[in-house]
Amino acid sequence: MKTQEDGTQASPELGRRQFVKGAAGAAALGALAQWTPAFRIGPADAQASCAVPPNFPSSIELYQQAYQNWSEAITVDSVWTAVPQTPNDVVTICNWAVQHGYLVRPRGAMHGWSPLTMAQQAACPSNILLVDTTQYLTAVTISTATSPATVTAQTGVTMDVLLQDLETAGFGVMACPAPGDITLGGALAIDGHGTAIPATGETLPAGMTYGSLSNLILSLTVVAWNSTTNAYALTTFTRTQPPIKAFLTHVGRAFVVSATLQVGANYRLRCQSYVTIPATTLFAPQGSSGQTIASFLSSAGRVEAIWFPFTTTPWLKVWSLAPTQPLTSTVVTSPYNYTFSDEIPVELSNLLSEIIAGDAALTPSFGALQLSIVQAGLLFTWTYDLWGWSKNTLLYVKPTTLRVTANGYAVLTSRANVQGVINAFVTEYQALVASYEAQGLYPMNGPVEIRVTGLDQTSDVEVTGAGSPQLSALRPRPDQTAWNVAVWFDILTVPGTPGSDAFYTAIEQWLYSTFTGSYAAVRPEWSKGWAFTTTAGWSNTTMLGTTIPYGLTVGQPAGDNFAAAAATLDEYDPYRLFSSPLLDALLP
Ligand SMILES: Cc1cc2nc3c(=O)[nH]c(=O)nc-3n(C[C@H](O)[C@H](O)[C@H](O)COP(=O)(O)OP(=O)(O)OC[C@H]3O[C@@H](n4cnc5c(N)ncnc54)[C@H](O)[C@@H]3O)c2cc1C
């Protein structure tokens, strides 16, 4: 193997010529990797089987379009979709929907996994109206009149645009979801998060949070039922008004048209990649010395481990605060610098095709190839050590990346326990993988991803009396004051891989039975997979009706918990316009 400048090693399997050729051949997996809702059908050409929404306000554009979520597990043709030009158009749509018995589903980039927006169903659902926020509800206004500065943004704006506007004005966020093509509305709905806790000696700058984006909210404008006028209307809640606690992270049970967020001064980040630290070292038991996750958290505070199946050295990214350019760093002036992970080389697509066709025993080779691509990619694109304004390394996943499915959980615990939690998780994961392999099954063919964030501490909000997000996975536990971090775990696999739902069920049951008491607790990552049975996600009735609500109730004040959030969301949407079968089960 060839050793790089940073001590990492390039794969012998994928030379530069092959790598470049492979990247160019990415289209080979096009059907699996990319999808564009290309067609639109107007009311005049409506499919015969699909009634035009009756008496729909003529001033608002309406067309039929397919809905498809990220993993493509939900693909519904010809869903009636409205395009509001203003927040008041959304109000008009909602009042029309009450009259005509329709559900109103805000639609952002559709880049999630869980069926929060709608369930898989036959084409053309008769009473669902999608509302596409991305075309007009995109205004962004930055105000420096207050300290900290604020940004007021309509919820259809993408994180790409929002973070670029903030950067131009000199502002940024501590952490954010890795893809920037998602909308602000979609990110706030599910407590969008990145990875960041304070490095040793680091203090929180004004306007920032180590928690989720939801914890930056100072006020929200939502479409809500007004019981005086007996109609839906625009309503603004500030961070100190009790109802906002249900809306800060609402899991899709609301329609938010704009949000005002606090923001901090922008800053420069360095992001270094490591691909030669053994998993046994990185994920070693609590108290181990050397290059553990805990050691990187102490020195830098920001890590992400991506561990491909059946490989021994994860891809570790470590971000650190670096006001001036380190000598060995490459300056980046835009995001999405890991082009090799956003394009699918033909070698990978061929191997995946063989696995999908039934040769599951190729999964270890698939894992090895994924790691080789990263190793070679980091070397040939000169991206193993990047430096620039915060967003340019915080955003790194493009929609052209492999479309896989994922489960997702946050484990709340104290910072001192992080290494132990990770070690326990990977030990269980490996044992499960081995037990499946012994049966000739390879249910997980994508990586394990591990990140660590702070919690949604109201003290991070520069407003006295700020309310705590009742449905956020990062809501602190008042009865566990030592808990100050969440370890996020995801395991990715190609949708429909044999055994995957059973595997996901086993790991979910293990997580919930292991991380208990005063040691740690588990909550779902709303946008990903949870509530598994051996045949499907989001379908375990005990998880939906008992376990998950309990996780957002235990330790919380009476009247300020999961049930309180459900009641508030119902009060402001008594017609349940903003719901779906999953939300009806979770928040009945
Ligand atoms: C490849 C990939 C990587 C990801 N990485 C991360 C990550 O690093 N961190 C992270 O936190 N998440 C991550 N996610 C998850 C992503 O943040 C969520 O799925 C997010 O909800 C997607 O936003 P969207 O615009 O696509 O929303 P959609 O998928 O269109 O909608 C998602 C939910 O938000 C609701 N919603 C959308 N707009 C509004 C609105 N205006 N008002 C009220 N509700 C609204 C919808 O009703 C629905 O319930 C990732 C997703 C993908 C596909």
Side-chain angles (χ1 to χ4, degrees):
M1 277 202 178
K2 188 176 163 197
T3 303
Q4 304 171 202
E5 251 179 40
D6 68 343
T8 58
Q9 290 177 321
S11 160
E13 287 133 46
L14 207 62
R16 176 191 291 270
R17 203 167 54 84
Q18 272 176 298
F19 176 74
V20 172
K21 182 171 146 247
L29 207 56
L32 184 68
Q34 294 196 39
W35 177 84
T36 315
F39 65 92
R40 282 183 181 190
I41 305 166
D45 307 309
Q47 293 189 358
S49 60
C50 199
V52 181
N55 305 319
F56 191 76
S58 58
S59 58
I60 299 171
E61 190 187 348
L62 182 70
Y63 56 81
Q64 279 179 292
Q65 192 167 44
Y67 173 88
Q68 191 170 57
N69 76 339
W70 176 259
S71 63
E72 304 177 5
I74 307 174
T75 303
V76 184
D77 287 339
S78 313
V79 188
W80 284 106
T81 306
V83 191
Q85 298 204 14
T86 64
N88 276 321
D89 281 351
V90 181
V91 174
T92 304
I93 290 168
C94 292
N95 286 316
W96 167 88
V98 173
Q99 299 293 322
H100 295 88
Y102 270 68
L103 300 177
V104 177
R105 308 303 301 130
R107 207 215 73 187
M110 303 180 282
H111 283 177
W113 288 268
S114 51
L116 298 173
T117 305
M118 63 191 296
Q120 173 61 28
Q121 55 203 284
C124 193
S126 61
N127 69 337
I128 296 180
L129 185 71
L130 292 179
V131 177
D132 178 0
T133 59
T134 63
Q135 297 194 41
Y136 296 103
L137 300 182
T138 56
V140 175
T141 312
I142 295 166
S143 168
T144 54
T146 54
S147 180
T150 63
V151 59
T152 299
Q154 291 182 323
T155 47
V157 72
T158 62
M159 291 303 298
D160 275 333
V161 170
L162 179 62
L163 292 172
Q164 179 61 62
D165 287 357
L166 286 174
E167 180 184 290
T168 304
F171 300 101
V173 295
M174 184 63 79
C176 60
D181 63 318
I182 62 172
T183 61
L184 176 65
L188 295 179
I190 50 85
D191 59 85
H193 71 96
T195 185
I197 60 174
T200 304
E202 181 182 325
T203 51
L204 181 71
M208 301 275 192
T209 181
Y210 294 107
S212 74
L213 292 177
S214 293
N215 201 37
L216 295 174
I217 293 172
L218 298 181
S219 70
L220 286 174
T221 298
V222 305
V223 179
W225 182 251
N226 181 320
S227 53
T228 309
T229 57
N230 274 334
Y232 282 82
L234 294 177
T235 305
T236 299
F237 296 116
T238 64
R239 189 67 189 258
T240 54
Q241 291 179 299
I244 203 170
K245 293 189 278 185
F247 287 93
L248 293 167
T249 295
H250 56 74
V251 204
R253 236 334 246 126
F255 201 128
V256 181
V257 292
S258 70
T260 297
L261 314 179
Q262 62 176 30
V263 289
N266 204 9
Y267 58 100
R268 288 190 168 92
L269 272 176
R270 180 185 195 184
C271 183
Q272 292 168 277
S273 284
Y274 300 83
V275 286
T276 56
I277 305 171
T280 47
T281 304
L282 214 45
F283 308 140
Q286 180 133 344
S288 303
S289 57
Q291 292 180 298
T292 60
I293 292 284
S295 75
F296 285 105
L297 288 173
S298 293
S299 60
R302 297 145 177 87
V303 300
E304 178 187 65
I306 297 185
W307 186 24
F308 296 107
F310 301 96
T311 62
T312 54
T313 56
W315 176 17
L316 178 73
K317 292 204 277 300
V318 179
W319 291 259
S320 49
L321 300 175
T324 54
Q325 184 191 353
L327 271 180
T328 54
S329 298
T330 304
V331 177
V332 284
T333 54
S334 57
Y336 310 114
N337 296 293
Y338 305 117
T339 45
F340 51 87
S341 66
D342 288 328
E343 293 164 352
I344 301 150
V346 71
E347 292 89 341
L348 198 67
S349 68
N350 288 345
L351 202 48
L352 188 53
S353 300
E354 289 180 55
I355 292 171
I356 292 169
D359 199 349
L362 287 174
T363 304
S365 308
F366 184 61
L369 183 58
Q370 289 177 85
L371 178 60
S372 298
I373 289 165
V374 170
Q375 290 172 324
L378 288 168
L379 179 65
F380 294 133
T381 61
W382 209 251
T383 47
Y384 51 82
D385 184 355
L386 305 175
W387 178 83
W389 288 116
S390 56
K391 82 159 198 329
N392 296 332
T393 59
L394 292 178
L395 296 173
Y396 52 90
V397 170
K398 280 179 102 169
T400 46
T401 197
L402 196 60
R403 291 215 170 199
V404 286
T405 196
N407 68 350
Y409 305 91
V411 177
L412 274 69
T413 191
S414 66
R415 184 170 178 150
N417 292 337
V418 168
Q419 189 69 28
V421 163
I422 293 173
N423 178 260
F425 178 85
V426 301
T427 304
E428 177 64 16
Y429 164 78
Q430 284 181 301
L432 268 177
V433 167
S435 73
Y436 275 80
E437 194 182 6
Q439 305 164 51
L441 284 169
Y442 297 85
M444 295 296 120
N445 41 44
V448 170
E449 296 185 356
I450 303 174
R451 290 180 285 178
V452 184
T453 65
L455 304 185
D456 286 340
Q457 308 286 1
T458 51
S459 53
D460 295 354
V461 188
E462 310 271 339
V463 169
T464 310
S468 169
Q470 289 164 331
L471 297 180
S472 171
L474 294 179
R475 187 178 204 201
R477 278 270 298 266
D479 61 332
Q480 302 290 347
T481 48
W483 294 1
N484 51 2
V485 300
V487 186
W488 296 84
F489 293 111
D490 304 308
I491 316 175
L492 282 58
T493 200
V494 170
T497 303
S500 56
D501 288 324
F503 189 101
Y504 279 145
T505 305
I507 202 94
E508 180 174 88
Q509 298 297 325
W510 177 85
L511 279 161
Y512 274 89
S513 61
T514 304
F515 297 126
T516 58
S518 60
Y519 180 64
V522 184
R523 291 174 182 159
E525 183 171 4
W526 296 124
S527 62
K528 298 188 178 157
W530 34 272
F532 283 94
T533 66
T534 53
T535 51
W538 312 285
S539 60
N540 180 324
T541 50
T542 306
M543 290 293 301
L544 291 170
T546 307
T547 314
I548 291 172
Y550 177 77
L552 288 156
T553 303
V554 60
Q556 304 299 340
D560 182 7
N561 51 27
F562 186 90
T568 303
L569 294 168
D570 250 10
E571 179 187 343
Y572 290 99
D573 179 25
Y575 287 89
R576 296 186 71 89
L577 301 184
F578 316 129
S579 198
S580 62
L582 175 58
L583 292 173
D584 287 343
L586 182 71
L587 294 159

